[in-house]
C-alpha cells in the first residue's frame, strides 16, 4: 500500500510520541523514602570536596568580589574544595535538593520542614559541632529546624520582614500594618508586598491581632476559615498594590523612584536605598521573618566535609562575614565582635527576636498543636496566592 | 523497477563488486531506503528535542504531585486539566494574556508596515542596509537590559512622564499598558523583518502598472500590495503573538501586580513545585497557537511561507 506524504509524516510523529511515552513510563519516578536516614555519631576523614546549595551571598569564594571570601580559609583548613550553587527562592531550593547532588543546603523555614518531610535531609548531631554552643538559644531547636526534638541543622542568621515607608508620605512612623491592609486604599497604586505564598502569613498575623475571634494563634497554622479570612484581606489589598516584589533590587528601585511608598521590606533594602526618603519600623502586630538553617543532604557524598562546613560557618568570624554580606543578624554574640552593624539588625535582642514569626512551611498537621482541625498546607497557600493576584 | 542490463564493452574493465559499491547500487535502486537514511538523523533530532519534549509535557499534565513530599506521582488523572479549563482564575488570566498578545501584535503590525515599506520601496540601497542594521540592532542587546530600561523609563519621574506631562498626559506607570508597550518594543524587529522581506518580493513594476491604470496610493496599497503582503504579515504576527503568549519576565518587571499565563506556569514550577499543574496550564497557549495557525492556514497565509 502506498502511503501519501502527509499521512506518512503523521505516522512518524505518532511513532515518536508513542516511543517517548513508553520511555517515560518506563523511567517512572522514584518514591519518597520517608524521614531521612540516621545522624552521624562521629567524624571520619575529610573527603576533599563538598557541594553546597545556598542563598546568593552565603558562600562567597572571592569570584564575585575579591574582598569577599570566607570559602578559601575553609578549604585551607580542612582540605575540602567547595562547589556551590545559589538559588532564588525557597521553592527552587526544594526542587534542587531533590536531585541529591548537594551535600549541604542553607534553607529558610518555608523550605526546611518540607525537606525533612521529603527525606532530602538528615538529622544533624550538634555534639559534633564545637561552635554550636555559642549560637543564640532562641534560634536553637525551633519548629523550623527540628522535628520531634531531633535537630535537623544549625541556625545561620535571621532577619525580619519589616514595614518600609516613604518619609514624605508618612511624616509620622506608622504604628500598625493597617497602612498596607485596612487603610491601603489611601495610597492606592503605591503599596508593595512580598511576592510569595508565604506572605499570606503576614495577613494572618495582622488578623491574629485585630480579629481575635478568628482564633489564629500561629500565622502558619491556618484552617480553611482562617485562610479564607486572610485571603479576603489580601484580595482587598490587591486593589492598592503597585507591584509585588521578590527581587530585592526591584524593591529598592521602586522605593527610590516613589513607585512604592509603603510595604513589606528587609533591613538590607533599607540599607541600600540611596535616596534617603525611606525608613523601616516594626509595627505593633509583630513581623514575620526568616531564620535560615544549614542542613545536610540525605544523599551527601561528603558528610565529613559537610559537618566541617556547618561548624565553620557557625564560627564567629565566618558567620559575621556571611551574615553581614547578606544583610541579616548573625547567629551568635561572638560574631558581633567581627561586625560593626549588629545593632542595626538587633542581633541577640531576644525581645526583638520574639516579635518575629519565623517562616515555617504550613502543613496539614497544625503547627499550633490543634488536633481537631486540618490546617491548610503550602500547596493550598500557593493556589490561594495565585487567586489573590488574579 | 528493473535495472539496465550491464553491457560488456571492450576496453572498459568490469567494475569490481566491493561492499561499498554493493551498498551504493542497493541505495540507488531503493529510493525509499535512501530517503529514510538521509532523513533519520535530522528527524531523530527533531523527535528527541521537540516532539519528545512536548510529549513529556503533555503526559506530565495527567500526573499528580504529592503535596507533602513534593514527589511527582504517576497516577493518571484528569484533575489538573479539568481545574485549568474550569477554574475562574485560569479563564481570567487566559483572556488577559490573549488580549495582551493581540494588542501587541496589532500595534507591531501598524508600526512595522510603514517602516518596512519605507525600507523596501523608498530608501536608497545604502540607507536600506543601514535601516536593516538599525532594526536588528536592539536584538544584540540583552532582553533583560531592554526590559529594565523600560522599567526605569516608565517609573515615576522617569523619561516617559517627563515627555508626556507637557502635553497633559500621564505616564502609564507599571501595569498592563506598560507590559503591552514593552512587549511591542521587544518583538518589533521580528515583525518588521518578515514584512520587509515580503515587500521586497512585490515587484516595483506592479506598483507602476497600478498607477498607470489610474490607481491612487491607497488603492494601490489596498488592492495590490496588501494581498501580496498578507502571508508576510501573518508570519510576523505569529512571532509577536506566540512570543507574547509565553512571556512572563516582562510582565514581572513592568507589569505591576498583574500576571499572565507564563507567570502561572512559572509559579507552579518554581514556587508550588507542581509540575503537573504547570504542564496543564502550558496546554492553553499550545492550544491557542494551534487554533491560530489553523486559522492562518485556512486564510492561505502559510502557503507561500
Amino acid at each position: 500500500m502506498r502511503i501519501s506524504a502527509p499521512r506518512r509524516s503523521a505516522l512518524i510523529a505518532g511513532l515518536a510520541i508513542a516511543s517517548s511515552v513508553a520511555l517515560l513510563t518506563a523511567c517512572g519516578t522514584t518514591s519518597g523514602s520517608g524521614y531521612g536516614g540516621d545522624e552521624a555519631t562521629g567524624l571520619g576523614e575529610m573527603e576533599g570536596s563538598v557541594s553546597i546549595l545556598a542563598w546568593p551571598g552565603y558562600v562567597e569564594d572571592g569570584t564575585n568580589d575579591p574582598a569577599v571570601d570566607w570559602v578559601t580559609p575553609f578549604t585551607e583548613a580542612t582540605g575540602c574544595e567547595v562547589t556551590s550553587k545559589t538559588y532564588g527562592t525557597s521553592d527552587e531550593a526544594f526542587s534542587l535538593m531533590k536531585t541529591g547532588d548537594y551535600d549541604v543546603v542553607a534553607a529558610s523555614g518555608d523550605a526546611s520542614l518540607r525537606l525533612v518531610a521529603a527525606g532530602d535531609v538528615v538529622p544533624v548531631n550538634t555534639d559534633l559541632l564545637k561552635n554550636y554552643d555559642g549560637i543564640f538559644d532562641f534560634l536553637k531547636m525551633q519548629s523550623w529546624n527540628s522535628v520531634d526534638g531531633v535537630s535537623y541543622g544549625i541556625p545561620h542568621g535571621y532577619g525580619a520582614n519589616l514595614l518600609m515607608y516613604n518619609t514624605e508620605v508618612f511624616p509620622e512612623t506608622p504604628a500598625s500594618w493597617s497602612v498596607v491592609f485596612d487603610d491601603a486604599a489611601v495610597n492606592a497604586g503605591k503599596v508593595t508586598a512580598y511576592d510569595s505564598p508565604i506572605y499570606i502569613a503576614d495577613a494572618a498575623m495582622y488578623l491574629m491581632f485585630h480579629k481575635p475571634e478568628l482564633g489564629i494563634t500561629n500565622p502558619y497554622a491556618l484552617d480553611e476559615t482562617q485562610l479564607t479570612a486572610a485571603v479576603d484581606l489580601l484580595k482587598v489589598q490587591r486593589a492598592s498594590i503597585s507591584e509585588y516584589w521578590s527581587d530585592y533590587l526591584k524593591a529598592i528601585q521602586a522605593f527610590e523612584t516613589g513607585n512604592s511608598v509603603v510595604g513589606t521590606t528587609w533591613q538590607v533594602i533599607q540599607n541600600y536605598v540611596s535616596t534617603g526618603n525611606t525608613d523601616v519600623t516594626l509595627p505593633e502586630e509583630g513581623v514575620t521573618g526568616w531564620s535560615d538553617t544549614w542542613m545536610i543532604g540525605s544523599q551527601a557524598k561528603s558528610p565529613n566535609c559537610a559537618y566541617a562546613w556547618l561548624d565553620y560557618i557557625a564560627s564567629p568570624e565566618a558567620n559575621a562575614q556571611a551574615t553581614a554580606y547578606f544583610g541579616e543578624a548573625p547567629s551568635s554574640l561572638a560574631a558581633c565582635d567581627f561586625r560593626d552593624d549588629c545593632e542595626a539588625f538587633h542581633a541577640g535582642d531576644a525581645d526583638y527576636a520574639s516579635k518575629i514569626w519565623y517562616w515555617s512551611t504550613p502543613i496539614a498537621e497544625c503547627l499550633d498543636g490543634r488536633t481537631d482541625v486540618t490546617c491548610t498546607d503550602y500547596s493550598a497557600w500557593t493556589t490561594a496566592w495565585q487567586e489573590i493576584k488574579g | 523497477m528493473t535495472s539496465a542490463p550491464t553491457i560488456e564493452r571492450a576496453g572498459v574493465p568490469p567494475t569490481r563488486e566491493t561492499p561499498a559499491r554493493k551498498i551504493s547500487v542497493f541505495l540507488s535502486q531503493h529510493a525509499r531506503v535512501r530517503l529514510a537514511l538521509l532523513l533519520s538523523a535530522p528527524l531523530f533530532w527533531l523527535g528527541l528535542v521537540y516532539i519528545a519534549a512536548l510529549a513529556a509535557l503533555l503526559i506530565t499534565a495527567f500526573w499528580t504531585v504529592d503535596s507533602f513530599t513534593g514527589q511527582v506521582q504517576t497516577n493518571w488523572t484528569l484533575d489538573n486539566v479539568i481545574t485549568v479549563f474550569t477554574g475562574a482564575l485560569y479563564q481570567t488570566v487566559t483572556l488577559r494574556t490573549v488580549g495582551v498578545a493581540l494588542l501587541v501584535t496589532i500595534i507591531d503590525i501598524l508600526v512595522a508596515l510603514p517602516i518596512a515599506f519605507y525600507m523596501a520601496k523608498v530608501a536608497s540601497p545604502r540607507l536600506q542596509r543601514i535601516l536593516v542594521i538599525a532594526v536588528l540592532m536592539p536584538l544584540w542587546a540583552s532582553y533583560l537590559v531592554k526590559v529594565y530600561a523600560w522599567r526605569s523609563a516608565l517609573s515615576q519621574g522617569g523619561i516617559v512622564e517627563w515627555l508626556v506631562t507637557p502635553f497633559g498626559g500621564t505616564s502609564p506607570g507599571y501595569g498592563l499598558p506598560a507590559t503591552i508597550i514593552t512587549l511591542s518594543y521587544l518583538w518589533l524587529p521580528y515583525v518588521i523583518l518578515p514584512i520587509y522581506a515580503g515587500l521586497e518580493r512585490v515587484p516595483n513594476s506592479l506598483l507602476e502598472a497600478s498607477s498607470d491604470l489610474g490607481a491612487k496610493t491607497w488603492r494601490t496599497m489596498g488592492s495590490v500590495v496588501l494581498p501580496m503582503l498578507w502571508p508576510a504579515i501573518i508570519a510576523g504576527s505569529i512571532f509577536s503573538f506566540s512570543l507574547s503568549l509565553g512571556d512572563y519576565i516582562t510582565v514581572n518587571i513592568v507589569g505591576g501586580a498583574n500576571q499572565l499565563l507564563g507567570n502561572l506556569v512559572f509559579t507552579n514550577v518554581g514556587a508550588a513545585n507542581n509540575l503537573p499543574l504547570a504542564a496543564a496550564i502550558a496546554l492553553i497557549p499550545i492550544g491557542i497557537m494551534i487554533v491560530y495557525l489553523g486559522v492562518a492556514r485556512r486564510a492561505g497565509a502559510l502557503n507561500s511561507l
Side-chain angles (χ1 to χ4, degrees), chain A residues 2-3 8 12-13 16-17 20-21 24-25 28-32 35 89 91-92 94-95 98 114 117-118 120 190 195 197 238 241-244 247 250-251 253-254 257-259 363 377-379 382-383 386-387 389-390, chain B residues 32 35 43 47 51-52 55-56 59 63 67-74 76 89-90 92-93 96 148 151-152 154-157 173-174 251-259 263-264 267-273 277 281:
Chain A
R2 199 182 138 74
I3 304 170
R8 200 167 58 222
I12 292 170
I17 291 170
S20 52
V21 169
L24 281 162
T25 325
T29 44
T30 50
S31 58
Y35 283 37
T89 62
D91 310 298
E92 195 184 337
F94 182 61
S95 306
K98 296 218 156 296
R114 280 190 279 165
D120 293 331
K190 302 220 177 260
D195 189 1
R238 164 71 178 80
I241 290 282
S242 62
E243 65 181 5
Y244 295 100
D247 172 0
K250 212 170 113 177
Q253 195 223 348
T257 58
N259 279 78
I363 49 177
D377 64 6
Y378 193 69
S379 76
T382 314
T383 315
Q386 286 175 1
E387 273 160 17
K389 289 174 78 183
Chain B
R32 286 275 169 76
L35 188 71
L43 271 183
I51 298 172
I59 290 163
W63 288 345
S67 68
F68 197 51
T69 61
Q71 307 275 2
V72 172
Q73 292 174 321
T74 49
W76 297 94
L89 168 71
Y90 304 104
T92 321
V93 176
R96 186 185 299 142
Y148 271 107
R151 181 176 164 85
S152 93
L154 291 162
S155 73
Q156 191 167 307
Y174 303 142
V251 67
N252 220 351
I253 296 173
V254 298
N258 292 292
Q259 54 183 357
N263 301 78
L264 288 183
T267 46
N268 272 301
V269 176
N273 191 42
L277 186 59
I281 298 171

Side-chain angles (χ1 to χ4, degrees), chain A residues 15-256:
Chain A
L15 270 174
I17 291 170
S19 59
S20 52
V21 169
L23 202 76
L24 281 162
T25 325
C27 289
T29 44
T30 50
S31 58
S33 52
Y35 283 37
D38 299 324
E39 63 179 27
T41 48
L43 290 182
E45 285 286 304
M46 294 297 166
E47 294 86 351
S49 71
V50 60
S51 66
I52 301 175
L53 180 65
W55 288 102
Y58 271 27
V59 185
E60 291 293 321
D61 60 2
T63 5
N64 292 329
D65 180 352
V68 179
D69 178 7
W70 53 89
V71 168
T72 310
F74 169 75
T75 306
E76 279 165 3
T78 61
C80 301
E81 288 288 338
V82 174
T83 49
S84 70
K85 176 160 176 64
T86 60
Y87 62 84
T89 62
S90 288
D91 310 298
E92 195 184 337
F94 182 61
S95 306
L96 284 171
M97 276 310 282
K98 296 218 156 296
T99 62
D101 291 344
Y102 304 96
D103 299 321
V104 177
V105 58
S108 291
D110 51 338
S112 54
L113 282 187
R114 280 190 279 165
L115 288 169
V116 173
D120 293 331
V121 291
V122 288
V124 170
N125 183 350
T126 50
D127 294 339
L128 299 174
L129 305 167
K130 63 179 191 300
N131 286 314
Y132 188 72
D133 289 341
I135 293 173
F136 295 128
D137 282 332
F138 58 81
L139 296 176
K140 288 180 185 170
M141 298 303 283
Q142 297 295 327
S143 65
W144 59 88
N145 57 23
S146 67
V147 172
D148 300 335
V150 177
S151 173
Y152 274 85
I154 57 157
H156 174 67
Y158 64 100
N161 299 313
L162 298 162
L163 175 65
M164 178 175 261
Y165 58 96
N166 186 313
T167 45
E168 288 147 25
V169 180
F170 294 93
E172 281 180 31
T173 307
S176 159
W177 283 106
S178 62
V179 287
V180 297
F181 290 118
D182 286 333
D183 306 328
V186 178
N187 292 294
K190 302 220 177 260
V191 178
T192 190
Y194 187 58
D195 189 1
S196 165
I198 208 72
Y199 183 69
I200 292 173
D202 284 58
M205 184 186 67
Y206 180 79
L207 292 173
M208 189 163 81
F209 191 89
H210 292 279
K211 289 208 175 143
E213 66 272 19
L214 283 167
I216 301 173
T217 54
N218 178 332
Y220 302 99
L222 306 178
D223 60 33
E224 287 288 345
T225 332
Q226 294 163 341
L227 180 69
T228 312
V231 167
D232 288 345
L233 183 63
L234 289 167
K235 278 184 177 162
V236 174
Q237 184 202 41
R238 164 71 178 80
S240 306
I241 290 282
S242 62
E243 65 181 5
Y244 295 100
W245 66 272
S246 56
D247 172 0
Y248 75 101
L249 296 171
K250 212 170 113 177
I252 293 169
Q253 195 223 348
F255 270 101
E256 284 179 343

